[in-house]
Amino acid sequence: MKNDNAVHTSYAPLTEQEKARLVRSTRRTDIRNIIGALFLVYGILVTATGLLDPAADRALTGGIAINLWTGISMLIASALFFVWAKFAPVPAEDILTSVENIDEKRAEGEGAL
Amino acid sequence: MVLEAASEGVRLDLKFVDYLMLIIYFVTVLAIGVIARRSIRTSMDFFLSGRSMPAWITGLAFVSANLGAIEILGMAANGAEIGMATMHYYFIGAVPAMVFLGLVMMPFYYGSKVRSVPEFMLRRLGKAAHLVNSIAFSVSNVLIAGINLYAMAIVVEAMLGWSQWTAIIVSAVFVLVYITLGGLSSAIYNEVMQFFVIVAGLVPLTVVGLHRVGGWNGLKTALMETDGVSRLHLSAWQGTSIGDVTNPIGANWLAIVLGLGFVLSFGYWTTNFTEVQRAFSAKNMSAARRTPLIGAFPKLLIPFVIVIPGMIAAATIGNQFADGTLTYNDAIPKLIQMYLPSGVLGVAVTGLMASFMAGMAANVSSFNTVFTYDIWQEYIKPNMPDDYYLKAGRVVSITGVVIGIFTAYLASQFGNIMTYIQTLFSFFNAPLFGVFILGLLWKRMTPAAGLWGYIAGIIAPTIVWIAYLKNPSLFATGTAETLYGAIISFVTVMVVSVAVSLFTKPKSDEELQGLVYGVGTIDVKSDHVAGDTAWYRSPALLGTVALALCVGFYLPIV
């Protein structure tokens, strides 16, 4: 076990190109984009259900078209998540630090700090 | 009008679109696991997300880790059974402790760079107390994960008609896969997503429910006409005078404030590693301190979509609770069945399934950290390279889930014994808080005092509880017993720890740097990044506003 540690001790520093790619891919899979996508799909499904069968939509609720209201609210929430991720992206330095401080994290994981 | 549409059982009529949403959710959960897997290179990445998370994510995860489906169904049940007094669990029983954690305790936790709550015990009070704490935490957490798994299976069987084993295996396998892949990051991202889905399911339920009972005033009127419900259901504090206790909790205001608001709440929110771990994963001191403070805001708002539906259930189907057709735990599933058409129905069911899984994942992801770092690395296999502990973490996670499934099986065979075990575990947090708070404030406290105070603090409430089981007339209700038991535990810790400290040798000031109030200084601003100094990110401000809201929200329901 001890020996293969040596293989990992130092990572070659990332090139500018690799850094840019890492930042891009991390931002694309930001949790806000994932939730935005989930709410987009759910919003479409719920709104469509409400539009396709308006009578069923109101039958249990005492007159509120709950699928339409919920579906449209989810679509708005989805848009807000996308906008938020777009205009306040994860800082590039945060993304890069977590790759560059590997030796430090490894030491902490070994209980050496 | 109010008592219509009440039928047998809580079986839901899911259509294709509802199942589709459930399937999409399960796929997304796995996708998050795969994405989180990419950033795991060290054991710290696996156990503490490499200390890289922003505060809004850890803050939501902090609340969400506690928002398991058992909690949701249980608190709605309380809402139906005891009404507004349930708000205590969200207001005084949570917010002051969260503010205290963020403002006072987090600088010690995060500043000392410990990787778990038991590790803080190790630094401050030495190996003996640490070993007891680590084992107690590991055992209780993995067993609680199993008990919750079984509780989930019962609900899913009732709602969806899946067999209990299908429900157990499906959720356990999904949790296993995403935790083993992505570790704590997986758990946290899923908790954040679960939070929004459960809100998207519960808000429509509350809106429709209130509409059906004729709004807030209609709810009050309907409740007054329900058997077994009195005006006390509509207020949180009436009937709690000392010597004249008539409220449904069965405890006076002092016991509520000290037992629930102080000991139980501070014990749970400030020393339960399942919660505190979320803050440890924050990217710097500022984000770690803001984690529980940001979490306090959703915590204050959640009861409006959990406790209120519980009360709506009491108003509309109270007769079925009274005659035993339904149990109080059926409140939310029953309302979903009565009020939500296919479409929103899928969102609500997905939200419940998501919170079932997130609750279990939170237990597993804190168990694997404590077991790997605090037991395996500290006592069994020290000085191994980091990769070894990363692999160990994955193996421990798998083992934890398997033990959880086995516990779920035991729970299905011996339900009562499991409830007892669960109660027993609830005695673990209160004494831990007693030990920590004394250790933080009093540098004279010795390692021996930590060990014996902690053990005495577990034994004392156990004795009180056994006495209550033998003689139920000792306390008005089980909840009242818990409140007094917690206070007794805390006082025992104080007395025993102080007494033992006076006769044993304390640690030197050098060893206590950054671990005790007034010994050395902690610079909470040293790792600030751009933006941390913005006025709206000030921990003091966030904490003050949270406390003010906590008081303000009580005003309409005094």
Side-chain angles (χ1 to χ4, degrees), chain A residues 1-2 5 8 25 29 31-32 34-35 38-39 41-42 45-46 49 56-57 60-62 64 66-67 70 74 81 84 94 99 102 105-106 108-111 113, chain B residues 21 24-25 28 38 41-45 51 56-57 113 115 189 196 204 208 211-212 283 338-344 347 350 373 377 383-388:
Chain A
M1 291 304 299
K2 281 229 149 114
N5 190 29
H8 301 283
S25 74
T29 52
I31 184 66
R32 290 169 291 185
I34 298 176
I35 299 175
L38 184 77
F39 271 45
V41 176
Y42 278 18
L45 288 174
V46 173
T49 313
D57 203 0
L60 294 173
T61 62
I64 304 178
I66 196 66
N67 276 333
T70 311
M74 290 183 92
F81 275 113
W84 183 16
D94 284 7
V99 179
I102 279 195
K105 283 192 286 195
R106 195 163 270 148
E108 194 175 2
E110 286 165 3
L113 279 189
Chain B
M21 280 191 264
I24 291 171
Y25 192 82
T28 314
R38 291 186 319 192
R41 297 174 186 85
T42 68
S43 70
M44 281 299 283
D45 293 328
R51 300 203 203 262
W56 74 269
I57 289 187
K113 287 284 171 200
R115 299 165 300 175
Y189 288 143
F196 289 107
V208 175
H211 176 69
R212 294 300 298 242
K283 66 180 181 182
M338 282 160 52
Y339 295 147
L340 294 188
S342 188
V344 198
V347 180
T350 306
Y373 280 156
Q377 184 179 72
N383 302 319
M384 297 298 278
D386 185 64
D387 282 351
Y388 172 83

Coordinates of all heavy atoms in Angstrom, one line a residue, chain A residues 1-2 5 8 25 29 31-32 34-35 38-39 41-42 45-46 49 56-57 60-62 64 66-67 70 74 81 84 94 99 102 105-106 108-111 113, chain B residues 21 24-25 28 38 41-45 51 56-57 113 115 189 196 204 208 211-212 283 338-344 347 350 373 377 383-388:
Chain A
M1 N 0.8 -1.2 0.0 CA 0.0 0.0 0.0 C 0.9 1.3 0.0 O 0.6 2.2 -0.7 CB -0.9 0.1 1.2 CG -2.0 -1.0 1.3 SD -3.1 -1.0 -0.1 CE -3.9 0.6 0.0
K2 N 1.9 1.2 0.9 CA 2.7 2.4 1.0 C 3.4 2.8 -0.3 O 3.5 4.0 -0.6 CB 3.8 2.1 2.1 CG 3.3 2.2 3.5 CD 4.2 3.1 4.3 CE 3.4 3.8 5.4 NZ 3.4 3.6 6.7
N5 N 1.7 5.0 -3.0 CA 1.5 6.4 -2.6 C 2.5 7.3 -3.4 O 2.1 8.4 -3.8 CB 1.8 6.5 -1.1 CG 1.4 7.9 -0.6 OD1 0.5 8.5 -1.2 ND2 2.0 8.4 0.4
H8 N 1.4 9.0 -6.5 CA 0.5 10.1 -6.5 C 1.0 11.4 -5.9 O 0.4 12.4 -6.0 CB -0.8 9.7 -5.8 CG -1.5 8.5 -6.3 ND1 -2.3 8.6 -7.5 CD2 -1.5 7.2 -5.9 CE1 -2.7 7.4 -7.7 NE2 -2.3 6.5 -6.8
S25 N -16.1 22.6 -17.3 CA -16.9 21.4 -17.1 C -17.5 21.4 -15.7 O -18.6 20.9 -15.4 CB -16.1 20.1 -17.3 OG -15.2 20.0 -16.2
T29 N -21.8 21.4 -14.7 CA -22.5 20.5 -13.9 C -22.7 21.0 -12.5 O -22.9 20.3 -11.5 CB -21.7 19.2 -13.7 OG1 -20.3 19.5 -13.4 CG2 -21.6 18.4 -15.0
I31 N -24.6 22.3 -9.4 CA -25.8 21.7 -8.8 C -27.0 22.6 -9.2 O -28.1 22.1 -9.4 CB -25.7 21.5 -7.3 CG1 -27.0 20.9 -6.7 CG2 -25.5 22.8 -6.6 CD1 -27.2 19.4 -7.2
R32 N -26.8 23.9 -9.3 CA -27.9 24.8 -9.7 C -28.4 24.5 -11.1 O -29.6 24.6 -11.4 CB -27.5 26.3 -9.6 CG -27.3 26.7 -8.2 CD -26.6 28.1 -8.2 NE -25.2 28.0 -8.6 CZ -24.3 29.0 -8.6 NH1 -24.7 30.2 -8.1 NH2 -23.1 28.9 -9.0
I34 N -28.2 21.5 -12.5 CA -28.9 20.2 -12.4 C -30.3 20.4 -11.8 O -31.3 19.9 -12.4 CB -28.1 19.2 -11.5 CG1 -26.7 19.0 -12.1 CG2 -28.9 17.9 -11.3 CD1 -25.8 18.2 -11.3
I35 N -30.5 21.2 -10.8 CA -31.8 21.4 -10.2 C -32.6 22.2 -11.2 O -33.8 21.9 -11.4 CB -31.7 22.2 -8.9 CG1 -30.9 21.4 -7.8 CG2 -33.1 22.5 -8.4 CD1 -30.7 22.2 -6.5
L38 N -33.8 19.7 -13.7 CA -34.9 18.8 -13.1 C -36.2 19.5 -13.1 O -37.3 19.0 -13.4 CB -34.5 18.3 -11.7 CG -35.4 17.3 -11.1 CD1 -35.2 15.9 -11.6 CD2 -35.2 17.3 -9.5
F39 N -36.2 20.8 -12.6 CA -37.4 21.6 -12.5 C -38.0 21.9 -13.8 O -39.2 22.0 -14.0 CB -37.2 22.8 -11.6 CG -37.4 22.6 -10.2 CD1 -36.8 21.5 -9.5 CD2 -38.1 23.5 -9.4 CE1 -37.0 21.3 -8.2 CE2 -38.3 23.3 -8.0 CZ -37.8 22.2 -7.4
V41 N -37.9 19.9 -16.5 CA -38.6 18.7 -16.9 C -39.9 18.5 -16.1 O -41.0 18.3 -16.7 CB -37.7 17.5 -16.8 CG1 -38.4 16.2 -17.1 CG2 -36.4 17.6 -17.7
Y42 N -39.8 18.7 -14.8 CA -40.9 18.5 -13.9 C -42.0 19.6 -14.3 O -43.2 19.3 -14.3 CB -40.6 18.6 -12.5 CG -40.0 17.3 -11.9 CD1 -39.5 16.3 -12.6 CD2 -40.0 17.2 -10.5 CE1 -39.0 15.2 -12.1 CE2 -39.5 16.0 -9.9 CZ -39.0 15.0 -10.7 OH -38.5 13.9 -10.1
L45 N -43.8 18.6 -17.4 CA -44.7 17.5 -17.2 C -45.9 17.9 -16.4 O -47.0 17.5 -16.8 CB -43.9 16.3 -16.4 CG -42.9 15.5 -17.2 CD1 -42.1 14.6 -16.3 CD2 -43.5 14.8 -18.4
V46 N -45.7 18.7 -15.4 CA -46.8 19.0 -14.5 C -47.8 20.0 -15.3 O -49.0 19.8 -15.2 CB -46.3 19.7 -13.2 CG1 -47.5 20.2 -12.4 CG2 -45.6 18.6 -12.4
T49 N -49.7 18.0 -17.8 CA -50.8 17.3 -17.2 C -52.0 18.2 -16.9 O -53.2 17.8 -17.2 CB -50.3 16.6 -15.9 OG1 -49.0 16.0 -16.1 CG2 -51.3 15.6 -15.4
A56 N -59.7 17.1 -14.3 CA -59.0 16.3 -13.2 C -58.2 17.2 -12.3 O -58.1 17.0 -11.1 CB -58.1 15.2 -13.8
D57 N -57.6 18.3 -13.0 CA -56.8 19.2 -12.2 C -57.5 19.9 -11.1 O -57.0 20.1 -10.0 CB -56.3 20.2 -13.2 CG -55.0 20.9 -12.8 OD1 -54.5 20.6 -11.7 OD2 -54.5 21.8 -13.5
L60 N -60.1 17.5 -7.3 CA -59.8 17.2 -5.9 C -59.5 18.4 -5.1 O -59.5 18.4 -3.9 CB -58.5 16.3 -5.9 CG -58.6 14.9 -6.4 CD1 -57.2 14.2 -6.4 CD2 -59.6 14.1 -5.6
T61 N -59.2 19.5 -5.8 CA -58.7 20.7 -5.1 C -59.7 21.7 -4.8 O -59.4 22.8 -4.2 CB -57.6 21.4 -6.0 OG1 -58.2 21.9 -7.2 CG2 -56.5 20.4 -6.3
G62 N -60.9 21.5 -5.1 CA -62.0 22.5 -4.9 C -61.8 23.7 -5.7 O -62.0 24.8 -5.3
I64 N -59.0 24.9 -7.6 CA -57.7 25.4 -7.9 C -57.1 24.5 -9.0 O -57.1 23.3 -8.9 CB -56.8 25.5 -6.7 CG1 -57.4 26.2 -5.6 CG2 -55.4 26.0 -7.1 CD1 -56.5 26.3 -4.4
I66 N -54.3 23.2 -9.8 CA -53.1 23.1 -9.0 C -51.9 22.7 -9.9 O -50.8 23.2 -9.7 CB -53.2 22.2 -7.8 CG1 -52.1 22.4 -6.8 CG2 -53.3 20.7 -8.2 CD1 -52.0 23.7 -6.2
N67 N -52.2 21.9 -10.9 CA -51.1 21.5 -11.8 C -50.5 22.7 -12.6 O -49.3 22.8 -12.8 CB -51.5 20.4 -12.7 CG -51.4 19.0 -12.1 OD1 -50.6 18.8 -11.2 ND2 -52.2 18.1 -12.5
T70 N -48.6 25.0 -10.1 CA -47.3 24.4 -9.7 C -46.4 24.2 -10.8 O -45.2 24.6 -10.7 CB -47.6 23.0 -9.1 OG1 -48.6 23.1 -8.1 CG2 -46.3 22.4 -8.4
M74 N -42.8 26.0 -11.1 CA -41.5 25.2 -11.2 C -40.7 25.7 -12.5 O -39.5 25.7 -12.4 CB -41.8 23.7 -11.3 CG -42.3 23.1 -10.0 SD -42.6 21.4 -10.1 CE -41.0 20.8 -9.5
F81 N -32.9 29.3 -11.3 CA -31.7 28.5 -11.0 C -30.6 28.7 -12.2 O -29.4 28.9 -11.9 CB -32.0 27.0 -10.9 CG -32.4 26.7 -9.5 CD1 -33.7 26.3 -9.2 CD2 -31.5 26.8 -8.4 CE1 -34.1 26.0 -7.9 CE2 -31.9 26.5 -7.1 CZ -33.2 26.1 -6.9
W84 N -29.2 32.2 -12.0 CA -28.3 32.3 -10.9 C -26.9 31.7 -11.2 O -25.8 32.3 -11.0 CB -28.9 31.6 -9.7 CG -28.2 31.7 -8.4 CD1 -27.1 32.6 -8.1 CD2 -28.4 31.0 -7.2 NE1 -26.7 32.4 -6.8 CE2 -27.4 31.4 -6.2 CE3 -29.3 29.9 -6.9 CZ2 -27.4 30.8 -5.0 CZ3 -29.2 29.4 -5.6 CH2 -28.3 29.8 -4.7
D94 N -11.8 28.8 -6.8 CA -12.3 27.7 -5.9 C -12.1 26.4 -6.6 O -11.7 25.4 -6.0 CB -13.8 27.9 -5.6 CG -14.0 29.0 -4.6 OD1 -13.0 29.7 -4.2 OD2 -15.1 29.2 -4.1
V99 N -8.1 21.3 -6.8 CA -7.2 20.4 -7.5 C -5.8 20.6 -7.1 O -5.0 19.7 -6.9 CB -7.4 20.6 -9.0 CG1 -6.4 19.7 -9.8 CG2 -8.8 20.4 -9.5
I102 N -4.0 19.3 -3.5 CA -4.1 17.8 -3.2 C -3.1 17.3 -2.2 O -3.5 16.5 -1.3 CB -3.9 17.0 -4.5 CG1 -5.2 17.1 -5.3 CG2 -3.5 15.6 -4.3 CD1 -5.4 16.1 -6.4
K105 N -4.5 18.2 1.2 CA -5.6 17.4 1.6 C -5.2 16.0 1.9 O -5.8 15.4 2.9 CB -6.6 17.4 0.4 CG -7.5 18.6 0.3 CD -8.6 18.5 -0.6 CE -8.2 18.4 -2.1 NZ -9.4 18.6 -3.0
R106 N -4.2 15.5 1.2 CA -3.8 14.1 1.4 C -3.1 14.0 2.8 O -3.4 13.1 3.6 CB -2.7 13.8 0.4 CG -2.4 12.3 0.3 CD -1.8 12.0 -1.0 NE -2.7 11.7 -2.0 CZ -2.6 11.9 -3.3 NH1 -1.5 12.5 -3.7 NH2 -3.5 11.6 -4.2
E108 N -3.9 15.9 5.3 CA -5.0 16.1 6.3 C -5.7 14.7 6.4 O -6.1 14.3 7.5 CB -5.9 17.2 5.9 CG -6.9 17.6 7.0 CD -7.7 18.8 6.7 OE1 -7.7 19.3 5.6 OE2 -8.5 19.2 7.6
G109 N -5.9 14.0 5.3 CA -6.6 12.8 5.3 C -5.8 11.7 6.1 O -6.4 10.8 6.7
E110 N -4.5 11.8 6.0 CA -3.6 10.9 6.7 C -3.5 11.2 8.2 O -2.9 10.5 9.0 CB -2.2 10.8 6.1 CG -2.2 10.1 4.8 CD -1.0 10.4 3.9 OE1 -0.1 11.1 4.4 OE2 -0.9 9.9 2.8
G111 N -4.2 12.3 8.6 CA -4.2 12.7 10.0 C -2.9 13.4 10.4 O -2.5 13.4 11.6
L113 N -2.1 16.6 10.0 CA -2.2 18.0 10.2 C -2.5 18.3 11.7 O -3.2 17.6 12.4 CB -3.3 18.7 9.4 CG -3.0 19.0 7.9 CD1 -4.1 19.8 7.3 CD2 -1.6 19.7 7.8
Chain B
M21 N -41.9 10.8 -13.3 CA -41.1 11.8 -12.4 C -40.2 11.1 -11.4 O -39.1 11.5 -11.2 CB -42.1 12.8 -11.8 CG -42.5 13.9 -12.7 SD -43.4 15.2 -11.9 CE -45.1 14.6 -12.1
I24 N -37.3 9.7 -13.3 CA -36.3 10.8 -13.6 C -35.5 11.2 -12.4 O -34.3 11.4 -12.5 CB -37.1 12.0 -14.2 CG1 -37.7 11.7 -15.5 CG2 -36.2 13.2 -14.3 CD1 -38.6 12.7 -16.1
Y25 N -36.2 11.2 -11.2 CA -35.4 11.6 -10.0 C -34.4 10.6 -9.7 O -33.2 11.0 -9.4 CB -36.4 11.8 -8.8 CG -35.7 12.4 -7.7 CD1 -35.7 13.8 -7.6 CD2 -35.2 11.7 -6.7 CE1 -35.0 14.5 -6.6 CE2 -34.5 12.3 -5.6 CZ -34.4 13.7 -5.6 OH -33.8 14.3 -4.6
T28 N -31.5 11.1 -11.9 CA -30.7 12.3 -11.6 C -29.8 12.1 -10.4 O -28.7 12.6 -10.3 CB -31.7 13.5 -11.3 OG1 -32.7 13.5 -12.3 CG2 -30.9 14.8 -11.3
R38 N -16.1 12.6 -9.9 CA -14.9 13.1 -10.7 C -14.0 13.9 -9.8 O -12.8 14.1 -10.1 CB -15.4 14.0 -11.8 CG -16.1 13.2 -12.9 CD -16.4 14.1 -14.1 NE -16.9 15.4 -13.6 CZ -17.5 16.3 -14.4 NH1 -17.6 16.1 -15.6 NH2 -17.9 17.5 -13.8
R41 N -10.3 12.8 -5.2 CA -9.0 12.4 -5.4 C -8.3 12.0 -4.1 O -7.3 11.2 -4.1 CB -8.1 13.5 -6.1 CG -8.6 13.8 -7.5 CD -7.9 15.0 -8.1 NE -8.4 15.4 -9.3 CZ -9.5 16.3 -9.4 NH1 -10.0 16.8 -8.3 NH2 -10.0 16.6 -10.6
T42 N -8.8 12.5 -3.0 CA -8.2 12.2 -1.7 C -9.3 11.8 -0.8 O -10.5 11.9 -1.1 CB -7.5 13.4 -1.1 OG1 -8.6 14.4 -0.8 CG2 -6.6 14.0 -2.1
S43 N -9.0 11.2 0.4 CA -10.0 10.8 1.4 C -10.7 12.1 1.9 O -11.9 12.0 2.2 CB -9.4 10.1 2.5 OG -8.6 10.9 3.3
M44 N -10.1 13.2 2.0 CA -10.7 14.4 2.4 C -11.8 14.8 1.4 O -12.9 15.4 1.8 CB -9.8 15.6 2.6 CG -9.0 15.5 3.9 SD -10.0 15.6 5.4 CE -10.4 17.3 5.4
D45 N -11.6 14.6 0.1 CA -12.6 14.9 -0.9 C -13.9 14.0 -0.6 O -15.0 14.4 -0.7 CB -12.1 14.6 -2.3 CG -11.0 15.6 -2.7 OD1 -11.1 16.7 -2.2 OD2 -10.1 15.2 -3.4
R51 N -13.4 20.1 1.8 CA -13.6 21.5 2.4 C -13.7 22.5 1.3 O -12.9 23.4 1.2 CB -12.5 21.9 3.4 CG -12.4 20.9 4.6 CD -11.7 21.6 5.7 NE -11.1 20.8 6.7 CZ -11.7 20.4 7.8 NH1 -12.9 20.8 8.1 NH2 -11.0 19.6 8.7
W56 N -24.2 28.6 0.9 CA -25.6 28.4 0.6 C -25.9 26.9 0.5 O -27.0 26.4 0.9 CB -26.1 29.2 -0.6 CG -25.7 28.7 -1.9 CD1 -24.6 29.0 -2.6 CD2 -26.4 27.7 -2.8 NE1 -24.5 28.4 -3.8 CE2 -25.6 27.6 -3.9 CE3 -27.6 27.0 -2.6 CZ2 -26.0 26.7 -5.0 CZ3 -27.9 26.1 -3.7 CH2 -27.2 26.0 -4.8
I57 N -24.9 26.1 -0.1 CA -25.1 24.7 -0.3 C -25.1 24.0 1.1 O -25.9 23.2 1.4 CB -24.1 24.1 -1.3 CG1 -24.4 24.6 -2.7 CG2 -24.1 22.6 -1.2 CD1 -23.6 24.0 -3.8
K113 N -9.3 22.6 12.8 CA -9.2 21.7 11.6 C -9.5 20.2 12.0 O -8.9 19.3 11.3 CB -7.7 21.8 11.1 CG -7.4 23.1 10.4 CD -8.0 23.0 9.0 CE -7.9 24.4 8.3 NZ -8.9 24.5 7.2
R115 N -11.6 16.8 11.8 CA -12.3 16.3 10.7 C -13.7 15.7 11.1 O -14.5 15.3 10.3 CB -11.5 15.2 10.0 CG -10.2 15.8 9.5 CD -9.2 14.7 9.1 NE -8.9 13.8 10.3 CZ -8.1 12.8 10.2 NH1 -7.6 12.4 9.1 NH2 -7.9 12.1 11.3
Y189 N -25.2 17.4 -2.4 CA -25.9 17.8 -3.6 C -27.3 17.3 -3.6 O -28.3 17.9 -3.9 CB -25.1 17.4 -4.8 CG -23.9 18.2 -5.0 CD1 -22.7 17.7 -5.6 CD2 -23.8 19.6 -4.7 CE1 -21.6 18.4 -5.8 CE2 -22.7 20.3 -4.9 CZ -21.5 19.7 -5.5 OH -20.4 20.5 -5.7
F196 N -35.5 21.2 -2.5 CA -36.4 22.0 -3.4 C -37.5 21.1 -3.9 O -38.7 21.6 -4.1 CB -35.6 22.6 -4.6 CG -34.7 23.7 -4.1 CD1 -33.3 23.5 -4.0 CD2 -35.2 24.9 -3.8 CE1 -32.5 24.6 -3.6 CE2 -34.4 26.0 -3.4 CZ -33.0 25.8 -3.3
P204 N -47.9 23.1 -2.7 CA -49.2 22.9 -3.3 C -50.2 22.2 -2.3 O -51.4 22.5 -2.2 CB -49.0 22.1 -4.5 CG -47.6 22.2 -4.8 CD -46.9 22.6 -3.6
V208 N -53.7 23.9 -1.3 CA -55.0 23.2 -1.5 C -55.7 22.9 -0.2 O -56.9 23.1 0.0 CB -54.8 21.9 -2.4 CG1 -56.1 21.2 -2.5 CG2 -54.2 22.3 -3.7
H211 N -57.2 25.9 1.3 CA -58.4 26.3 0.5 C -59.6 25.4 0.8 O -60.7 25.9 1.0 CB -58.0 26.2 -1.0 CG -59.1 26.4 -2.0 ND1 -59.7 27.7 -2.1 CD2 -59.8 25.6 -2.8 CE1 -60.7 27.6 -3.0 NE2 -60.8 26.4 -3.4
R212 N -59.3 24.1 0.9 CA -60.5 23.2 1.2 C -61.1 23.4 2.6 O -62.3 23.1 2.7 CB -60.0 21.7 1.0 CG -59.6 21.3 -0.4 CD -60.7 21.4 -1.4 NE -61.9 20.6 -1.1 CZ -62.3 19.6 -1.9 NH1 -61.7 19.4 -3.1 NH2 -63.4 18.9 -1.6
K283 N -16.1 25.8 2.5 CA -14.7 26.1 2.0 C -13.8 27.0 2.8 O -12.6 26.9 2.6 CB -14.9 26.8 0.6 CG -15.5 28.1 0.6 CD -15.6 28.7 -0.8 CE -16.3 30.1 -0.8 NZ -16.4 30.6 -2.2
M338 N -56.0 12.8 -0.8 CA -57.3 13.5 -0.9 C -57.3 14.7 -1.9 O -58.2 15.0 -2.5 CB -57.8 14.0 0.5 CG -58.4 12.9 1.3 SD -58.4 13.3 3.1 CE -59.1 14.9 3.1
Y339 N -56.1 15.4 -1.9 CA -56.1 16.7 -2.5 C -55.3 16.9 -3.8 O -55.4 17.8 -4.5 CB -55.6 17.8 -1.5 CG -56.5 18.0 -0.3 CD1 -56.0 18.3 0.9 CD2 -57.9 17.9 -0.5 CE1 -56.8 18.5 2.0 CE2 -58.7 18.1 0.6 CZ -58.1 18.4 1.9 OH -58.9 18.6 2.9
L340 N -54.3 16.0 -4.0 CA -53.4 16.2 -5.1 C -53.7 15.3 -6.3 O -53.6 14.1 -6.3 CB -51.9 16.0 -4.7 CG -51.4 17.0 -3.7 CD1 -49.9 16.8 -3.5 CD2 -51.7 18.4 -4.1
P341 N -54.0 15.9 -7.5 CA -54.2 15.2 -8.7 C -52.9 14.7 -9.3 O -51.8 15.2 -9.0 CB -54.9 16.2 -9.6 CG -54.4 17.5 -9.2 CD -54.1 17.4 -7.7
S342 N -53.0 13.7 -10.1 CA -51.8 13.2 -10.9 C -51.1 14.4 -11.5 O -51.7 15.3 -12.0 CB -52.3 12.3 -12.0 OG -51.2 11.7 -12.6
G343 N -49.8 14.4 -11.4 CA -49.0 15.5 -11.8 C -48.3 16.1 -10.6 O -47.1 15.7 -10.3
V344 N -48.9 16.9 -9.8 CA -48.4 17.4 -8.6 C -48.2 16.2 -7.6 O -47.2 16.2 -6.8 CB -49.3 18.4 -7.8 CG1 -48.5 19.2 -6.8 CG2 -49.9 19.3 -8.8
V347 N -44.8 14.9 -8.0 CA -43.8 15.7 -7.3 C -43.8 15.4 -5.8 O -42.7 15.3 -5.2 CB -44.1 17.2 -7.6 CG1 -43.0 18.1 -6.9 CG2 -44.1 17.5 -9.1
T350 N -42.3 12.0 -5.1 CA -40.9 12.0 -5.4 C -40.2 12.7 -4.2 O -39.1 12.3 -3.7 CB -40.6 12.8 -6.7 OG1 -41.3 12.2 -7.7 CG2 -39.1 12.7 -7.0
Y373 N -11.9 7.6 10.1 CA -10.9 8.5 10.7 C -10.7 8.3 12.2 O -9.6 8.2 12.7 CB -11.3 10.0 10.5 CG -10.9 10.5 9.1 CD1 -11.6 11.6 8.6 CD2 -9.9 10.0 8.3 CE1 -11.3 12.2 7.3 CE2 -9.6 10.5 7.1 CZ -10.3 11.6 6.6 OH -10.0 12.1 5.3
Q377 N -8.5 4.7 11.5 CA -7.2 5.4 11.4 C -6.5 5.6 12.8 O -5.3 5.5 13.0 CB -7.3 6.7 10.7 CG -6.0 7.4 10.5 CD -6.3 8.8 9.8 OE1 -6.8 9.7 10.3 NE2 -5.9 8.8 8.5
N383 N -1.1 5.6 10.2 CA 0.0 5.8 9.3 C 0.0 5.1 8.0 O 1.0 4.7 7.5 CB 1.3 5.4 10.0 CG 1.5 6.1 11.4 OD1 1.2 7.3 11.4 ND2 1.8 5.4 12.4
M384 N -1.2 5.0 7.4 CA -1.3 4.5 6.0 C -1.4 5.6 5.1 O -1.7 6.7 5.5 CB -2.5 3.5 5.9 CG -2.5 2.3 6.8 SD -1.1 1.2 6.4 CE -1.7 0.3 5.0
P385 N -1.0 5.4 3.8 CA -1.2 6.5 2.8 C -2.7 6.9 2.7 O -3.5 6.1 2.9 CB -0.6 6.0 1.6 CG -0.6 4.5 1.7 CD -0.4 4.2 3.2
D386 N -2.9 8.1 2.2 CA -4.2 8.6 2.1 C -5.1 7.7 1.2 O -6.3 7.5 1.5 CB -4.2 10.0 1.5 CG -5.6 10.7 1.5 OD1 -6.1 10.9 2.6 OD2 -6.1 10.9 0.4
D387 N -4.6 7.2 0.1 CA -5.4 6.3 -0.8 C -6.0 5.2 0.0 O -7.1 4.7 -0.4 CB -4.5 5.8 -1.9 CG -4.3 6.8 -3.0 OD1 -5.0 7.9 -2.9 OD2 -3.5 6.6 -3.9
Y388 N -5.3 4.7 0.9 CA -5.8 3.6 1.7 C -7.1 4.0 2.5 O -8.1 3.2 2.5 CB -4.7 3.1 2.7 CG -5.2 2.1 3.7 CD1 -5.3 0.7 3.4 CD2 -5.7 2.5 5.0 CE1 -5.7 -0.2 4.3 CE2 -6.1 1.6 5.9 CZ -6.2 0.2 5.6 OH -6.6 -0.7 6.5

